[in-house]
Amino acid sequence: MNSIQLDPQGRLKHFLGIEGLRRSLLLEILDTATSFLSVEAQVVKKVPLLRGKTIVNLFFEPSTRTRTTFELAAKRLSADVLNFNISTSSTSKGETLLDMLHNLEAMNCDLFIVRHEAGGAAHFMAQHVAPHISIINAGDGRHEHPTQAMLDMYTIRQYKGDFTPLKVAIVGDVLHSRVARSDIHALTTLGVAEVRVVGPTTLIPKGIETLGVKVFHRLKEGLKAVDVIIMLRLQRERMDSALIPSAHEYFQYYGLTEAALTVAHPQAIVMHPGPINRGVEIDSPVANGNRSVILAQVSNGIAVRMAVMAMTLGAIMEKKETHV
Amino acid sequence: MSINYLDTLLQSMANRLQHRFRSYPPEDTLMIGIHTGGVWVAERLHTLLRLPKPLGQLNIAFYRDDFTRIGLHPHVTPSTLPINIENRHIILVDDVLHTGRTIRAAFNEIFDYGRPASITLAVLIERNGRELPIQPDIVGCSLCVESNKHIKLCGPNPLHLEVRTTDE
Protein backbone atom coordinates (compact mmCIF):
# COMPACT_ATOMS: atom_id res chain seq x y z
CA MET A 1 0.00 0.00 0.00
CA ASN A 2 2.75 2.41 0.87
CA SER A 3 4.94 2.12 -2.23
CA ILE A 4 3.20 5.28 -3.43
CA GLN A 5 5.18 7.04 -0.70
CA LEU A 6 8.49 6.64 -2.50
CA ASP A 7 9.81 8.10 -5.72
CA PRO A 8 11.66 5.89 -8.25
CA GLN A 9 14.96 6.60 -6.39
CA GLY A 10 13.44 5.26 -3.15
CA ARG A 11 13.17 8.66 -1.47
CA LEU A 12 10.21 9.89 0.51
CA LYS A 13 7.72 11.68 -1.76
CA HIS A 14 4.68 11.38 0.51
CA PHE A 15 4.66 10.32 4.17
CA LEU A 16 1.49 8.29 4.63
CA GLY A 17 2.40 5.48 7.01
CA ILE A 18 5.29 3.60 8.60
CA GLU A 19 4.16 0.19 7.35
CA GLY A 20 6.41 -1.02 4.55
CA LEU A 21 9.13 1.62 4.92
CA ARG A 22 12.69 0.33 5.19
CA ARG A 23 14.80 0.70 8.32
CA SER A 24 17.38 2.95 6.63
CA LEU A 25 14.69 5.45 5.65
CA LEU A 26 13.35 5.63 9.22
CA LEU A 27 16.90 6.23 10.47
CA GLU A 28 17.38 8.92 7.80
CA ILE A 29 14.31 10.75 9.15
CA LEU A 30 15.74 10.58 12.69
CA ASP A 31 19.18 11.79 11.55
CA THR A 32 17.70 14.65 9.54
CA ALA A 33 15.61 15.66 12.56
CA THR A 34 18.79 15.79 14.68
CA SER A 35 20.33 18.26 12.27
CA PHE A 36 17.28 20.53 12.60
CA LEU A 37 17.64 20.68 16.39
CA SER A 38 20.38 23.32 15.99
CA VAL A 39 17.76 25.72 14.60
CA GLU A 40 16.35 25.89 18.14
CA ALA A 41 19.67 27.36 19.32
CA GLN A 42 19.51 30.26 16.88
CA VAL A 43 18.29 33.71 17.86
CA VAL A 44 16.28 33.66 14.64
CA LYS A 45 14.65 30.21 14.87
CA LYS A 46 14.24 29.84 11.13
CA VAL A 47 16.12 28.44 8.16
CA PRO A 48 15.30 29.52 4.61
CA LEU A 49 15.03 25.98 3.21
CA LEU A 50 11.36 26.06 2.13
CA ARG A 51 11.08 29.78 1.44
CA GLY A 52 8.44 30.38 -1.22
CA LYS A 53 6.71 27.04 -0.58
CA THR A 54 3.11 26.89 0.62
CA ILE A 55 2.12 24.22 3.12
CA VAL A 56 -1.53 23.55 3.87
CA ASN A 57 -2.76 22.07 7.14
CA LEU A 58 -5.92 20.26 6.09
CA PHE A 59 -7.57 19.05 9.28
CA PHE A 60 -10.91 17.27 9.00
CA GLU A 61 -10.68 16.35 12.71
CA PRO A 62 -10.00 18.66 15.64
CA SER A 63 -6.38 18.93 16.73
CA THR A 64 -4.36 21.48 18.63
CA ARG A 65 -0.98 19.96 19.36
CA THR A 66 -0.33 18.19 16.08
CA ARG A 67 -1.57 21.06 13.92
CA THR A 68 0.43 23.58 15.94
CA THR A 69 3.67 21.63 15.76
CA PHE A 70 3.22 21.12 12.01
CA GLU A 71 2.61 24.85 11.64
CA LEU A 72 5.63 25.72 13.75
CA ALA A 73 7.80 23.25 11.84
CA ALA A 74 6.70 24.74 8.50
CA LYS A 75 7.36 28.26 9.73
CA ARG A 76 10.82 27.32 11.01
CA LEU A 77 11.56 26.17 7.46
CA SER A 78 10.31 29.59 6.18
CA ALA A 79 7.31 28.13 4.34
CA ASP A 80 3.98 29.92 4.16
CA VAL A 81 1.23 28.08 6.04
CA LEU A 82 -2.52 27.89 5.47
CA ASN A 83 -4.79 26.27 8.08
CA PHE A 84 -8.09 24.69 7.09
CA ASN A 85 -10.30 23.10 9.74
CA ILE A 86 -13.11 21.36 7.94
CA SER A 87 -16.13 19.48 9.23
CA THR A 88 -17.02 16.39 7.25
CA SER A 89 -20.47 15.96 8.76
CA SER A 90 -22.64 17.22 5.91
CA THR A 91 -20.94 16.07 2.73
CA SER A 92 -19.73 12.73 1.45
CA LYS A 93 -16.04 12.22 2.23
CA GLY A 94 -14.87 11.35 -1.26
CA GLU A 95 -16.41 14.44 -2.82
CA THR A 96 -15.14 16.74 -0.12
CA LEU A 97 -11.60 15.46 -0.38
CA LEU A 98 -11.36 15.64 -4.15
CA ASP A 99 -13.09 18.99 -4.42
CA MET A 100 -10.88 20.41 -1.72
CA LEU A 101 -7.80 18.92 -3.36
CA HIS A 102 -8.44 20.45 -6.78
CA ASN A 103 -9.21 23.84 -5.27
CA LEU A 104 -5.98 23.87 -3.31
CA GLU A 105 -3.99 22.64 -6.29
CA ALA A 106 -5.32 25.63 -8.18
CA MET A 107 -3.81 27.88 -5.49
CA ASN A 108 -0.31 26.51 -6.24
CA CYS A 109 0.22 24.84 -2.89
CA ASP A 110 3.15 22.44 -2.47
CA LEU A 111 2.46 20.21 0.53
CA PHE A 112 -0.72 19.09 2.27
CA ILE A 113 -0.72 17.92 5.87
CA VAL A 114 -3.89 15.84 6.20
CA ARG A 115 -5.82 14.61 9.22
CA HIS A 116 -9.06 12.75 8.56
CA GLU A 117 -11.38 10.45 10.49
CA ALA A 118 -11.40 7.92 7.64
CA GLY A 119 -8.53 5.44 7.42
CA GLY A 120 -6.75 5.72 4.04
CA ALA A 121 -7.76 9.37 3.45
CA ALA A 122 -4.17 10.60 3.05
CA HIS A 123 -3.39 7.68 0.75
CA PHE A 124 -6.47 8.50 -1.35
CA MET A 125 -5.29 12.09 -1.69
CA ALA A 126 -1.78 11.02 -2.64
CA GLN A 127 -3.24 8.91 -5.44
CA HIS A 128 -5.17 11.85 -6.89
CA VAL A 129 -2.86 14.76 -6.28
CA ALA A 130 -0.79 16.47 -9.00
CA PRO A 131 2.76 15.08 -9.29
CA HIS A 132 4.46 18.17 -7.85
CA ILE A 133 2.50 18.00 -4.56
CA SER A 134 3.40 16.01 -1.44
CA ILE A 135 1.02 14.62 1.19
CA ILE A 136 1.89 14.02 4.84
CA ASN A 137 -0.54 11.97 6.92
CA ALA A 138 -1.26 13.65 10.28
CA GLY A 139 -3.56 10.81 11.35
CA ASP A 140 -6.16 8.85 9.37
CA GLY A 141 -8.90 7.11 11.39
CA ARG A 142 -7.51 4.16 13.29
CA HIS A 143 -4.92 3.52 10.61
CA GLU A 144 -1.64 5.44 11.03
CA HIS A 145 -0.08 8.57 12.51
CA PRO A 146 3.45 8.28 11.12
CA THR A 147 4.98 11.57 12.31
CA GLN A 148 3.87 10.80 15.89
CA ALA A 149 5.57 7.41 15.60
CA MET A 150 8.78 9.00 14.33
CA LEU A 151 8.87 11.54 17.16
CA ASP A 152 8.30 8.64 19.55
CA MET A 153 11.23 6.79 17.96
CA TYR A 154 13.33 9.95 18.14
CA THR A 155 12.58 10.32 21.85
CA ILE A 156 13.34 6.63 22.52
CA ARG A 157 16.69 6.94 20.70
CA GLN A 158 17.46 10.17 22.56
CA TYR A 159 17.02 8.49 25.97
CA LYS A 160 17.96 4.89 25.25
CA GLY A 161 20.41 4.98 22.31
CA ASP A 162 20.30 1.59 20.63
CA PHE A 163 16.87 0.16 19.74
CA THR A 164 17.85 -3.51 19.61
CA PRO A 165 17.94 -4.47 23.33
CA LEU A 166 14.73 -2.63 24.23
CA LYS A 167 11.46 -4.02 25.53
CA VAL A 168 8.62 -1.62 24.80
CA ALA A 169 5.07 -1.77 26.20
CA ILE A 170 2.20 0.07 24.50
CA VAL A 171 -0.58 0.37 27.08
CA GLY A 172 -4.27 1.16 26.84
CA ASP A 173 -6.76 1.77 24.05
CA VAL A 174 -4.85 0.03 21.25
CA LEU A 175 -8.09 -0.67 19.37
CA HIS A 176 -8.75 2.96 18.44
CA SER A 177 -5.12 4.10 18.31
CA ARG A 178 -3.44 5.00 15.03
CA VAL A 179 -0.40 5.95 17.11
CA ALA A 180 -0.14 2.38 18.41
CA ARG A 181 -0.26 0.94 14.89
CA SER A 182 2.42 3.30 13.57
CA ASP A 183 4.56 2.77 16.69
CA ILE A 184 4.36 -1.01 16.31
CA HIS A 185 5.47 -0.83 12.66
CA ALA A 186 8.30 1.56 13.54
CA LEU A 187 9.53 -0.42 16.55
CA THR A 188 9.54 -3.75 14.72
CA THR A 189 11.25 -2.20 11.67
CA LEU A 190 13.92 -0.65 13.90
CA GLY A 191 14.49 -4.05 15.48
CA VAL A 192 13.59 -3.69 19.16
CA ALA A 193 13.84 -6.91 21.18
CA GLU A 194 10.16 -7.04 22.16
CA VAL A 195 6.98 -5.05 21.60
CA ARG A 196 4.07 -5.66 23.98
CA VAL A 197 0.53 -4.36 23.88
CA VAL A 198 -1.27 -4.19 27.21
CA GLY A 199 -4.96 -3.55 27.76
CA PRO A 200 -8.41 -5.06 28.33
CA THR A 201 -9.58 -7.59 25.72
CA THR A 202 -12.21 -5.11 24.48
CA LEU A 203 -9.50 -2.55 23.59
CA ILE A 204 -6.95 -4.88 21.94
CA PRO A 205 -7.69 -5.64 18.27
CA LYS A 206 -8.09 -9.31 17.45
CA GLY A 207 -5.14 -10.81 15.57
CA ILE A 208 -2.71 -8.02 16.53
CA GLU A 209 -0.10 -10.71 17.26
CA THR A 210 0.42 -10.95 13.49
CA LEU A 211 2.17 -7.55 13.67
CA GLY A 212 4.88 -9.15 15.82
CA VAL A 213 3.70 -8.08 19.27
CA LYS A 214 2.95 -9.94 22.51
CA VAL A 215 -0.45 -9.35 24.11
CA PHE A 216 -0.91 -8.85 27.87
CA HIS A 217 -4.15 -8.20 29.69
CA ARG A 218 -2.69 -7.56 33.15
CA LEU A 219 -0.78 -4.30 33.56
CA LYS A 220 1.89 -5.54 35.97
CA GLU A 221 2.71 -8.55 33.79
CA GLY A 222 2.91 -6.35 30.70
CA LEU A 223 5.19 -3.78 32.34
CA LYS A 224 7.61 -6.28 33.87
CA ALA A 225 11.22 -5.29 33.00
CA VAL A 226 10.24 -3.00 30.12
CA ASP A 227 12.52 -0.09 29.13
CA VAL A 228 9.89 2.09 27.48
CA ILE A 229 6.19 2.54 28.33
CA ILE A 230 3.99 4.23 25.75
CA MET A 231 0.63 5.12 27.34
CA LEU A 232 -2.32 5.66 25.03
CA ARG A 233 -5.23 8.01 25.52
CA LEU A 234 -8.59 6.38 26.16
CA GLN A 235 -10.43 7.54 23.03
CA ARG A 236 -13.97 7.60 24.35
CA GLU A 237 -15.11 9.82 21.46
CA ARG A 238 -14.43 6.92 19.09
CA MET A 239 -16.23 4.30 21.19
CA ASP A 240 -19.70 3.50 19.87
CA SER A 241 -20.41 0.89 22.56
CA ALA A 242 -19.50 0.33 26.19
CA LEU A 243 -16.00 -1.13 25.90
CA ILE A 244 -15.02 -0.27 29.46
CA PRO A 245 -17.23 -0.20 32.58
CA SER A 246 -16.12 3.29 33.64
CA ALA A 247 -13.09 5.57 33.50
CA HIS A 248 -12.66 5.07 37.25
CA GLU A 249 -12.56 1.29 36.93
CA TYR A 250 -10.25 1.52 33.91
CA PHE A 251 -7.80 3.52 36.00
CA GLN A 252 -7.89 0.87 38.75
CA TYR A 253 -6.75 -1.82 36.33
CA TYR A 254 -4.77 -0.01 33.62
CA GLY A 255 -3.88 3.43 34.98
CA LEU A 256 -0.12 3.99 35.20
CA THR A 257 0.70 4.77 38.83
CA GLU A 258 4.00 4.91 40.72
CA ALA A 259 3.11 1.50 42.18
CA ALA A 260 2.57 -0.05 38.74
CA LEU A 261 5.87 1.45 37.52
CA THR A 262 7.91 -0.45 40.11
CA VAL A 263 7.88 -3.65 38.01
CA ALA A 264 9.40 -1.87 34.97
CA HIS A 265 13.15 -1.42 34.46
CA PRO A 266 14.45 1.16 36.99
CA GLN A 267 15.47 3.47 34.13
CA ALA A 268 12.26 2.97 32.15
CA ILE A 269 10.86 6.06 30.44
CA VAL A 270 7.15 6.96 30.26
CA MET A 271 5.71 8.38 27.04
CA HIS A 272 2.26 9.57 25.98
CA PRO A 273 1.17 11.05 22.62
CA GLY A 274 -1.13 13.52 24.40
CA PRO A 275 -3.48 14.95 25.31
CA ILE A 276 -3.23 13.08 28.59
CA ASN A 277 -6.25 12.17 30.73
CA ARG A 278 -4.90 12.45 34.26
CA GLY A 279 -6.52 9.94 36.55
CA VAL A 280 -7.82 7.87 33.61
CA GLU A 281 -4.81 6.28 31.88
CA ILE A 282 -2.01 7.95 33.84
CA ASP A 283 -1.64 9.25 37.38
CA SER A 284 -0.46 12.84 37.81
CA PRO A 285 2.71 11.99 39.81
CA VAL A 286 3.82 9.72 36.95
CA ALA A 287 2.96 12.25 34.21
CA ASN A 288 4.94 14.92 36.09
CA GLY A 289 7.63 12.55 37.41
CA ASN A 290 11.28 12.24 36.46
CA ARG A 291 10.70 9.23 34.20
CA SER A 292 8.15 11.11 32.10
CA VAL A 293 9.49 12.30 28.73
CA ILE A 294 6.12 13.57 27.52
CA LEU A 295 7.24 17.18 27.05
CA ALA A 296 10.44 16.06 25.28
CA GLN A 297 8.15 14.27 22.82
CA VAL A 298 6.40 17.55 22.05
CA SER A 299 9.70 19.39 21.46
CA ASN A 300 11.08 16.59 19.31
CA GLY A 301 7.88 16.63 17.26
CA ILE A 302 8.85 19.94 15.70
CA ALA A 303 12.29 18.75 14.51
CA VAL A 304 10.87 15.46 13.22
CA ARG A 305 8.14 17.25 11.28
CA MET A 306 10.69 19.69 9.83
CA ALA A 307 12.71 16.68 8.67
CA VAL A 308 9.76 14.98 6.97
CA MET A 309 8.65 18.20 5.24
CA ALA A 310 12.16 18.96 3.98
CA MET A 311 12.68 15.39 2.78
CA THR A 312 9.38 15.12 0.88
CA LEU A 313 9.67 18.54 -0.74
CA GLY A 314 13.38 18.01 -1.44
CA ALA A 315 12.68 14.78 -3.32
CA ILE A 316 9.96 16.45 -5.38
CA MET A 317 12.04 19.47 -6.29
CA GLU A 318 14.95 17.35 -7.37
CA LYS A 319 12.60 15.34 -9.57
CA LYS A 320 11.26 18.50 -11.17
CA GLU A 321 14.79 19.69 -11.87
CA THR A 322 15.79 16.49 -13.65
CA HIS A 323 12.79 16.91 -15.94
CA VAL A 324 13.72 20.48 -16.94
CA MET B 1 50.50 19.14 -3.01
CA SER B 2 52.53 17.70 -0.18
CA ILE B 3 51.47 17.64 3.47
CA ASN B 4 54.44 19.83 4.39
CA TYR B 5 53.37 22.43 1.88
CA LEU B 6 49.85 22.55 3.37
CA ASP B 7 51.43 22.93 6.83
CA THR B 8 53.42 25.89 5.52
CA LEU B 9 50.24 27.48 4.13
CA LEU B 10 48.41 26.96 7.43
CA GLN B 11 51.29 28.46 9.43
CA SER B 12 51.38 31.45 7.08
CA MET B 13 47.60 31.96 7.51
CA ALA B 14 48.00 31.70 11.29
CA ASN B 15 50.77 34.31 11.25
CA ARG B 16 48.67 36.74 9.26
CA LEU B 17 45.62 36.17 11.48
CA GLN B 18 47.77 36.79 14.55
CA HIS B 19 49.00 40.05 13.07
CA ARG B 20 45.48 41.11 12.05
CA PHE B 21 43.97 40.34 15.46
CA ARG B 22 46.92 41.58 17.57
CA SER B 23 44.89 44.47 18.99
CA TYR B 24 41.72 42.42 19.73
CA PRO B 25 41.14 40.74 23.11
CA PRO B 26 41.35 36.97 22.34
CA GLU B 27 38.22 36.29 24.41
CA ASP B 28 36.22 38.47 21.99
CA THR B 29 37.30 36.35 19.03
CA LEU B 30 35.46 33.26 17.82
CA MET B 31 36.72 31.01 15.05
CA ILE B 32 34.08 29.17 13.01
CA GLY B 33 34.81 26.48 10.42
CA ILE B 34 32.41 25.66 7.60
CA HIS B 35 31.57 21.96 7.45
CA THR B 36 33.49 19.81 6.50
CA GLY B 37 36.77 20.97 4.95
CA GLY B 38 36.58 24.39 6.59
CA VAL B 39 36.31 22.73 10.00
CA TRP B 40 39.51 20.76 9.34
CA VAL B 41 41.40 23.94 8.36
CA ALA B 42 39.90 25.81 11.34
CA GLU B 43 40.98 23.04 13.75
CA ARG B 44 44.60 23.46 12.59
CA LEU B 45 44.47 27.27 12.79
CA HIS B 46 42.72 27.16 16.18
CA THR B 47 45.56 25.03 17.56
CA LEU B 48 48.30 27.16 15.99
CA LEU B 49 46.75 30.39 17.37
CA ARG B 50 45.92 28.87 20.80
CA LEU B 51 42.55 30.64 20.81
CA PRO B 52 40.84 30.56 24.23
CA LYS B 53 37.25 30.09 22.98
CA PRO B 54 36.22 26.69 21.59
CA LEU B 55 35.85 26.29 17.82
CA GLY B 56 32.43 26.74 16.24
CA GLN B 57 31.14 24.65 13.35
CA LEU B 58 28.71 25.83 10.71
CA ASN B 59 26.75 23.58 8.41
CA ILE B 60 25.16 25.71 5.73
CA ALA B 61 23.01 22.91 4.25
CA PHE B 62 19.76 24.63 5.25
CA TYR B 63 20.92 27.97 3.80
CA ARG B 64 22.03 26.76 0.38
CA ASP B 65 20.52 28.41 -2.67
CA ASP B 66 20.38 25.14 -4.61
CA PHE B 67 17.98 23.16 -2.38
CA THR B 68 15.39 23.39 -5.16
CA ARG B 69 17.90 21.75 -7.52
CA ILE B 70 19.59 19.09 -5.42
CA GLY B 71 17.22 18.47 -2.48
CA LEU B 72 18.28 17.86 1.08
CA HIS B 73 21.54 16.14 1.93
CA PRO B 74 20.55 13.08 3.99
CA HIS B 75 23.16 13.51 6.73
CA VAL B 76 23.57 17.09 7.87
CA THR B 77 25.86 17.56 10.86
CA PRO B 78 24.21 20.23 13.02
CA SER B 79 25.81 23.64 13.37
CA THR B 80 27.33 24.24 16.80
CA LEU B 81 28.31 27.69 17.98
CA PRO B 82 29.76 27.29 21.50
CA ILE B 83 29.23 30.86 22.66
CA ASN B 84 26.95 33.79 21.92
CA ILE B 85 28.29 35.50 18.80
CA GLU B 86 26.77 38.89 19.64
CA ASN B 87 29.53 41.54 19.32
CA ARG B 88 32.27 38.91 18.78
CA HIS B 89 34.92 39.16 16.09
CA ILE B 90 34.32 36.10 13.93
CA ILE B 91 37.06 34.37 11.94
CA LEU B 92 35.13 32.40 9.33
CA VAL B 93 37.24 29.60 7.84
CA ASP B 94 36.65 27.54 4.69
CA ASP B 95 38.83 25.23 2.66
CA VAL B 96 38.22 26.45 -0.90
CA LEU B 97 36.62 29.74 -1.98
CA HIS B 98 35.14 29.24 -5.45
CA THR B 99 31.77 30.76 -6.43
CA GLY B 100 31.23 32.55 -3.10
CA ARG B 101 27.76 31.00 -2.63
CA THR B 102 28.81 28.94 0.41
CA ILE B 103 30.12 32.08 2.11
CA ARG B 104 26.89 33.95 1.28
CA ALA B 105 24.93 31.12 2.95
CA ALA B 106 27.31 31.15 5.95
CA PHE B 107 26.83 34.91 6.44
CA ASN B 108 23.07 34.44 6.47
CA GLU B 109 23.29 31.62 9.01
CA ILE B 110 25.69 33.55 11.28
CA PHE B 111 23.30 36.50 11.38
CA ASP B 112 20.48 34.17 12.47
CA TYR B 113 22.57 33.50 15.60
CA GLY B 114 23.15 37.19 16.36
CA ARG B 115 25.03 40.33 15.27
CA PRO B 116 28.79 39.85 15.27
CA ALA B 117 31.15 42.83 15.63
CA SER B 118 33.00 41.77 12.46
CA ILE B 119 33.62 38.80 10.20
CA THR B 120 37.04 38.01 8.75
CA LEU B 121 37.11 35.43 5.97
CA ALA B 122 40.08 33.05 5.92
CA VAL B 123 40.40 30.39 3.20
CA LEU B 124 43.09 27.82 2.51
CA ILE B 125 42.64 28.00 -1.27
CA GLU B 126 41.18 30.85 -3.26
CA ARG B 127 40.40 29.94 -6.85
CA ASN B 128 38.86 31.65 -9.87
CA GLY B 129 35.13 31.36 -10.69
CA ARG B 130 33.48 33.82 -8.35
CA GLU B 131 29.74 34.34 -8.94
CA LEU B 132 29.21 36.77 -6.06
CA PRO B 133 31.28 39.80 -4.94
CA ILE B 134 32.92 38.02 -2.00
CA GLN B 135 36.67 38.23 -1.39
CA PRO B 136 38.76 36.62 1.37
CA ASP B 137 40.81 38.56 3.92
CA ILE B 138 43.35 35.81 4.64
CA VAL B 139 44.40 33.37 1.89
CA GLY B 140 46.67 30.29 2.02
CA CYS B 141 47.24 30.34 -1.71
CA SER B 142 45.49 31.48 -4.90
CA LEU B 143 45.03 29.12 -7.83
CA CYS B 144 43.72 29.65 -11.35
CA VAL B 145 42.31 26.43 -12.81
CA GLU B 146 40.03 25.49 -15.72
CA SER B 147 36.32 25.92 -15.03
CA ASN B 148 35.69 22.16 -15.17
CA LYS B 149 38.25 21.48 -12.41
CA HIS B 150 37.08 20.96 -8.84
CA ILE B 151 39.56 21.46 -5.98
CA LYS B 152 38.72 19.34 -2.95
CA LEU B 153 40.37 19.18 0.46
CA CYS B 154 40.47 15.57 1.71
CA GLY B 155 41.15 14.66 5.32
CA PRO B 156 41.17 15.09 8.17
CA ASN B 157 44.34 13.05 8.85
CA PRO B 158 46.34 13.74 6.81
CA LEU B 159 45.00 16.72 4.92
CA HIS B 160 45.60 16.71 1.18
CA LEU B 161 44.24 18.45 -1.89
CA GLU B 162 42.74 16.72 -4.91
CA VAL B 163 41.92 18.26 -8.27
CA ARG B 164 39.04 16.49 -10.02
CA THR B 165 37.50 17.07 -13.43
CA THR B 166 33.73 17.59 -13.34
CA ASP B 167 31.26 16.81 -16.18
CA GLU B 168 30.22 20.31 -17.10
Side-chain angles (χ1 to χ4, degrees):
Chain A
M1 172 177 176
N2 283 327
S3 59
I4 191 175
Q5 297 191 97
L6 306 178
D7 71 2
Q9 285 77 45
R11 292 166 311 181
L12 210 56
K13 182 182 180 232
H14 307 289
F15 193 43
L16 309 174
I18 304 289
E19 185 180 8
L21 292 182
R22 61 185 190 278
R23 184 171 180 273
S24 59
L25 192 59
L26 300 190
L27 291 173
E28 187 182 325
I29 293 171
L30 300 182
D31 291 342
T32 307
T34 302
S35 57
F36 280 118
L37 277 188
S38 62
V39 178
E40 297 284 322
Q42 297 179 190
V43 175
V44 180
K45 292 178 179 51
K46 245 180 188 328
V47 290
L49 208 58
L50 299 185
R51 203 171 49 166
K53 301 290 161 200
T54 305
I55 294 178
V56 183
N57 272 325
L58 209 50
F59 277 62
F60 294 86
E61 270 188 346
S63 161
T64 307
R65 185 183 330 239
T66 303
R67 190 187 54 73
T68 311
T69 50
F70 266 114
E71 184 173 348
L72 207 49
K75 287 180 171 171
R76 293 214 167 139
L77 293 168
S78 302
D80 295 315
V81 184
L82 289 176
N83 289 310
F84 285 87
N85 298 314
I86 309 130
S87 163
T88 54
S89 54
S90 57
T91 49
S92 96
K93 289 161 196 154
E95 274 185 330
T96 304
L97 273 174
L98 278 183
D99 284 347
M100 178 63 66
L101 202 62
H102 296 318
N103 275 288
L104 289 167
E105 276 180 15
M107 295 180 208
N108 289 321
C109 298
D110 301 284
L111 170 65
F112 297 154
I113 316 290
V114 184
R115 169 170 285 193
H116 200 285
E117 63 188 5
H123 189 267
F124 174 79
M125 290 183 75
Q127 281 176 314
H128 292 89
V129 83
H132 63 279
I133 292 175
S134 281
I135 305 283
I136 294 177
N137 182 6
D140 59 332
R142 300 178 186 184
H143 179 229
E144 284 231 39
H145 191 353
T147 57
Q148 176 70 42
M150 290 317 294
L151 76 88
D152 287 350
M153 298 309 113
Y154 191 93
T155 309
I156 292 172
R157 190 170 77 164
Q158 184 179 29
Y159 284 88
K160 295 292 171 189
D162 186 12
F163 286 102
T164 52
L166 298 179
K167 290 180 181 171
V168 182
I170 301 172
V171 183
D173 185 359
V174 180
L175 181 67
H176 298 100
S177 177
R178 50 198 176 204
V179 176
R181 230 166 296 273
S182 290
D183 274 343
I184 290 168
H185 289 307
L187 289 164
T188 52
T189 304
L190 291 167
V192 298
E194 191 178 321
V195 184
R196 303 173 180 179
V197 292
V198 187
T201 45
T202 49
L203 294 180
I204 301 287
K206 288 188 174 50
I208 197 165
E209 297 88 344
T210 57
L211 297 181
V213 302
K214 287 186 182 171
V215 177
F216 291 81
H217 295 301
R218 288 177 189 276
L219 185 62
K220 283 211 169 178
E221 283 174 23
L223 295 186
K224 200 171 179 185
V226 296
D227 305 281
V228 178
I229 303 166
I230 301 174
M231 298 305 294
L232 299 173
R233 186 174 66 87
L234 197 60
Q235 299 192 38
R236 280 180 286 187
E237 75 279 11
R238 292 186 203 276
M239 294 182 190
D240 43 19
S241 59
L243 297 174
I244 54 162
S246 71
H248 178 73
E249 195 165 330
Y250 179 82
F251 182 70
Q252 297 303 314
Y253 287 97
Y254 294 100
L256 188 65
T257 58
E258 294 281 10
L261 254 184
T262 54
V263 297
H265 189 283
Q267 264 83 50
I269 55 169
V270 176
M271 302 169 65
H272 193 300
I276 58 176
N277 291 318
R278 291 169 187 266
V280 178
E281 70 262 353
I282 188 164
D283 205 8
S284 269
V286 177
N288 302 338
N290 57 6
R291 300 205 209 172
S292 166
V293 297
I294 295 170
L295 292 179
Q297 288 175 268
V298 179
S299 303
N300 292 337
I302 298 170
V304 165
R305 287 173 175 132
M306 287 170 79
V308 174
M309 288 175 182
M311 285 171 70
T312 50
L313 283 175
I316 285 212
M317 287 191 270
E318 186 172 350
K319 188 164 179 253
K320 272 167 76 182
E321 175 68 16
T322 56
H323 287 187
V324 168
Chain B
M1 218 174 272
S2 71
I3 299 163
N4 285 342
Y5 184 64
L6 280 184
D7 283 344
T8 309
L9 295 185
L10 288 163
Q11 186 60 59
S12 150
M13 289 173 75
N15 294 345
R16 271 177 286 162
L17 279 167
Q18 201 149 36
H19 182 72
R20 189 182 175 98
F21 281 85
R22 64 190 181 284
S23 57
Y24 292 68
E27 58 272 18
D28 285 349
T29 305
L30 174 66
M31 183 172 276
I32 300 173
I34 298 177
H35 192 75
T36 48
V39 173
W40 298 335
V41 176
E43 281 168 349
R44 304 299 202 276
L45 293 174
H46 192 265
T47 306
L48 289 169
L49 291 167
R50 297 189 187 91
L51 292 175
K53 297 293 180 194
L55 182 67
Q57 298 193 16
L58 213 54
N59 194 322
I60 53 99
F62 303 140
Y63 288 78
R64 296 180 67 94
D65 58 10
D66 54 3
F67 174 66
T68 54
R69 292 171 55 204
I70 63 170
L72 187 65
H73 191 280
H75 300 290
V76 179
T77 312
S79 295
T80 48
L81 296 187
I83 54 168
N84 189 345
I85 66 159
E86 198 75 20
N87 291 324
R88 306 266 180 199
H89 294 282
I90 307 286
I91 305 170
L92 182 63
V93 182
D94 205 3
D95 50 357
V96 181
L97 175 60
H98 181 196
T99 62
R101 290 177 189 272
T102 298
I103 303 302
R104 194 282 308 165
F107 285 167
N108 282 15
E109 182 163 1
I110 286 171
F111 278 82
D112 280 350
Y113 279 89
R115 183 181 186 275
S118 68
I119 300 178
T120 297
L121 178 60
V123 298
L124 181 65
I125 306 292
E126 181 230 7
R127 62 159 290 180
N128 55 313
R130 208 80 72 249
E131 293 168 4
L132 297 173
I134 287 173
Q135 303 305 332
D137 301 296
I138 306 289
V139 178
C141 84
S142 295
L143 296 175
C144 187
V145 295
E146 295 96 319
S147 59
N148 66 343
K149 298 289 189 212
H150 177 70
I151 303 172
K152 184 174 171 56
L153 182 69
C154 303
N157 290 308
L159 285 180
H160 66 279
L161 287 168
E162 282 184 12
V163 180
R164 294 172 185 168
T165 304
T166 57
D167 314 317
E168 259 189 341

